[in-house]
Amino acid sequence: MGLTSNNIVIAAAVAALLLFAVTIWLWPRLAGRGVAPVLGRAGLLLGTQLTVFVAVGLFANQSFGFYGSWSDLFGTQDEPGVVVDHDTPGTRVRVTDTRHLAVAGDSSPEVAGRIEKVDIQGPVSRIVSPAYVYLPPEYFRPEYARRTFPAALVLTGYPGTTESLINGLKYPQKAHKLVASGKMQPLVLVMMRPTVAPPRDTECVDVPGGPQTETFFTEDLPKAVAQHYRVGKRARNWGVIGNSTGGYCALKMAMRHPDAFSAAAGLSPSYRAPIDATTGDLFGGSERLERENDLMWRLDHKPAPPVSLLVSSSAHGEQNYQDTVRFVNKVKRLNRRGEPTRISSIILDTGGHNFNTWKRELPAALEWLAGRLGDR
């Protein structure tokens, strides 16, 4: 059974309940003072606590997407990282697997859409990374055969798993529902984690002498996807959305590369890259490069880019609330001066830095993003 499957969570919960019942049943028989009763009581208590811990841990992992598989949990996952690749442009996207969504019992692509697992190769960044691409039902319908679709890059937080975007936050399912209800146009979703050089957290930075993550996302990926799928090639055809680290990446890449993305949504984003054990030295000691990746600094010192931005936070429970208010106010002041950057926000009364909060924000964020992208 897979680490995130319902069966294993149910099995662990049943095991915990059964062992708890056994403990209650046998406790009177183990009330003596001898070695055997003491060891029996200790074993039952330890076993009960262990099974409860496993059940709660499995449920939390399924809900919040900390680990996507057993190999990910035990550190044996062997996904592609940074490689030197000199393939021709025609092989920049390689489909490795497909899966179908089931909508009202129908899993045909024309009704439910399709998710393809792909490897995306970047000839400029020399990075190859796995992704999931959601193709909406309209992509397979004859009346849309000549249509070019808008696309959105969807990013997890760090460390994150790409599967959490499908099984946890349910991006394809929510997009399908919004399109079916007429609230948004169909989008092609390219779902990834920002960790394209695992296990390092590069914060979507072109690291001097290291992974060229920003180049991969802003230059290689849109071109590769547009060559393989019927999606637009211009900035107005592309948006980017992410949570936590992915939210910072989304905002930053749109602000720094308005020629790649015209709209960006950051759910619970930070506004500058941290420097810690997971990132290492992202800027090669360059204060200039560090400043240019600081979104507050960019608003004060760089020309305002012609992009639309969405940020989210919670008045109680989110550590980024004050920074988010500050960021919104800075952009609003630019608006009053006639600058082209546009800002929107989702501010909840309460909400933590977790999947439950992002699930509440996601439908509105997707609708907002789709409304700012063109298909031509």
Side-chain angles (χ1 to χ4, degrees):
M1 290 183 285
L3 180 61
T4 60
S5 71
N6 289 329
N7 290 340
I8 195 167
V9 175
I10 293 172
V14 170
L17 288 173
L18 287 176
L19 195 53
F20 175 76
V22 169
T23 300
I24 297 298
W25 180 259
L26 294 179
W27 198 260
R29 303 183 184 184
L30 299 173
R33 296 177 177 272
V35 174
V38 170
L39 291 178
R41 293 195 300 269
L44 286 173
L45 288 174
L46 181 62
T48 301
Q49 291 180 1
L50 181 61
T51 54
V52 169
F53 175 79
V54 169
V56 171
L58 287 169
F59 177 75
N61 182 71
Q62 185 189 59
S63 300
F64 299 107
F66 299 121
Y67 299 97
S69 64
W70 293 109
S71 59
D72 189 24
L73 174 64
F74 293 111
T76 59
Q77 193 171 28
D78 190 23
E79 291 187 356
V82 179
V83 302
V84 177
D85 192 281
H86 301 285
D87 285 352
T88 59
T91 60
R92 291 180 185 174
V93 173
R94 183 172 63 91
V95 179
T96 60
D97 194 12
T98 61
R99 67 169 72 172
H100 301 279
L101 296 176
V103 178
D106 195 330
S107 61
S108 62
E110 296 83 358
V111 174
R114 187 167 73 200
I115 299 173
E116 296 185 345
K117 186 174 183 180
V118 302
D119 288 331
I120 299 177
Q121 301 177 5
V124 180
S125 63
R126 292 189 280 185
I127 286 174
V128 61
S129 187
Y132 285 99
V133 177
Y134 167 67
L135 303 171
E138 292 78 7
Y139 191 91
F140 301 97
R141 295 175 184 170
E143 61 268 33
Y144 291 89
R146 297 183 179 275
R147 177 170 175 176
T148 298
F149 289 81
L153 171 62
V154 182
L155 296 173
T156 70
Y158 176 85
T161 64
T162 311
E163 289 80 4
S164 70
L165 298 173
I166 302 171
N167 301 326
L169 292 176
K170 300 184 183 298
Y171 268 89
Q173 298 88 330
K174 285 182 170 60
H176 185 282
K177 185 176 181 179
L178 288 168
V179 173
S181 63
K183 294 183 178 180
M184 65 174 269
Q185 65 174 322
L187 295 180
V188 171
L189 303 179
V190 183
M191 298 172 284
M192 303 184 66
R193 58 179 183 168
T195 314
V196 295
R200 187 175 187 181
D201 175 14
T202 62
E203 295 287 320
C204 300
V205 170
D206 278 352
V207 181
Q212 302 297 287
T213 311
E214 189 171 17
T215 295
F216 174 78
F217 283 127
T218 60
E219 186 172 348
D220 285 334
L221 183 142
K223 289 180 180 178
V225 173
Q227 286 176 353
H228 191 81
Y229 298 103
R230 297 195 319 274
V231 301
K233 299 179 180 180
R234 302 181 181 182
R236 65 171 178 261
N237 310 130
W238 277 86
V240 55
I241 181 172
N243 56 273
S244 191
T245 297
Y248 163 72
C249 287
L251 299 174
K252 180 184 71 170
M253 291 191 295
M255 293 174 69
R256 284 172 56 88
H257 298 274
D259 56 331
F261 302 107
S262 61
L267 307 182
S268 305
S270 54
Y271 297 93
R272 60 180 300 173
I275 300 296
D276 56 29
T278 65
T279 64
D281 183 2
L282 294 176
F283 308 111
S286 170
E287 293 183 2
R288 176 191 61 80
L289 186 58
E290 184 172 0
R291 287 195 304 268
E292 290 184 355
N293 282 271
D294 184 324
L295 305 189
M296 300 290 188
W297 184 91
R298 293 193 68 83
L299 291 176
D300 291 334
H301 297 89
K302 290 289 184 178
V307 296
S308 297
L309 306 175
L310 170 69
V311 293
S312 80
S313 188
S314 304
H316 301 282
E318 277 276 23
Q319 294 184 354
N320 78 332
Y321 175 69
Q322 295 297 333
D323 283 342
T324 297
V325 171
R326 181 177 163 218
F327 185 85
V328 169
N329 288 336
K330 281 180 178 289
V331 180
K332 288 169 65 176
R333 285 195 291 271
L334 293 175
N335 293 162
R336 289 194 287 269
R337 298 205 305 260
E339 300 291 348
T341 304
R342 295 293 177 262
I343 188 69
S344 302
S345 64
I346 300 173
I347 304 296
L348 303 178
D349 290 336
T350 60
H353 196 80
N354 55 52
F355 272 39
N356 185 57
T357 297
W358 301 326
K359 286 178 182 178
R360 295 162 61 196
E361 299 166 344
L362 188 52
L366 273 175
E367 186 178 345
W368 175 92
L369 186 64
R372 281 152 181 79
L373 302 180
D375 58 359
R376 298 187 184 279

